[in-house]
Amino acid sequence: MLQTKNLSKIFTTHEVETTALNNVNFEVQEGEFVAVMGPSGCGKSTLLHIAGMLDNPTNGEYYFMGEEVSGYSERKRARLRKGNIGFVFQSFNLIDELTVFENIELPLLYLGVLAKDRNKRVDDILEQLELVPRKNHFPQQISGGQQQRVAVARALIANPRVILADEPTGNLDSSHGDEVMKLLVDLNENGTTVIMVTHSPAYADYANRVIHLFDGHIVTENLKDKYNKHMQPLSEVTG
């Protein structure tokens, strides 16, 4: 579903170059739940942004559903993102002036879904995520855990193939963090591919596979099945 080949990203400011990603080879199959870990500044969020077509790489190739998209314009990337990728961010990124219902509905407005269908789909997901009593509240009137559930609902409303979650529990206490992780696991078990950036080994343990980044390189992968999990050097993983 998603693959990078020798992917690099270099940021240049005031004649200073920073290499965020350096020849990264990364693949995610449909239906996987992959966690990306590493210290601050190692390239985790950059990798997620390129995977979500919010940015282009400096060098290398990026394939999404078999289509090489690394050189696409923002317009072409946006067209491909619609209906295929849902985003969940640490800071929730809800619109304060919109109600819970309206925040969740927003992606359907962009997709041109008819009002009758929008209302039904939003009502269904509000019920699924136990947000019906909060549908007419504004973001600042609900708890952090509820705000993140709204963000998850908004990411899901268009039935995307992939959910990209950037530190989705970073602003939550452990109880609300566990709640969000269980939502992501449920989504994955129902067929949605999930790629999540996290600093938490406990939350990474929910994933089927863990990618460890350091200085823009993938250095190890933690492969897990239903019986056991083990750490392997990347050279053993890739052969």
Side-chain angles (χ1 to χ4, degrees), residues 10 55 69 84 101 145 153 161 207 230 235:
I10 299 171
D55 198 1
V69 301
N84 286 314
F101 186 101
R161 293 171 176 264
H230 55 278
S235 59

Side-chain angles (χ1 to χ4, degrees), residues 47-115:
L47 180 60
L48 205 69
H49 288 175
I50 291 175
M53 289 176 282
L54 297 175
D55 198 1
N56 276 339
T58 305
N59 296 298
E61 300 172 7
Y62 173 43
Y63 295 84
F64 183 77
M65 297 192 302
E67 191 171 345
E68 211 286 306
V69 301
S70 62
Y72 276 14
S73 67
E74 168 54 27
R75 179 174 294 183
K76 291 186 73 173
R77 297 200 310 267
R79 190 179 305 126
L80 191 54
R81 281 196 304 267
K82 284 182 180 178
N84 286 314
I85 298 176
F87 296 92
V88 181
F89 299 100
Q90 177 179 351
S91 56
F92 314 141
N93 284 2
L94 301 178
I95 299 174
D96 289 340
E97 294 77 18
L98 300 182
T99 64
V100 164
F101 186 101
E102 291 166 339
N103 267 282
I104 296 170
E105 180 188 33
L106 198 57
L108 300 182
L109 287 169
Y110 291 143
L111 289 170
V113 177
L114 296 176

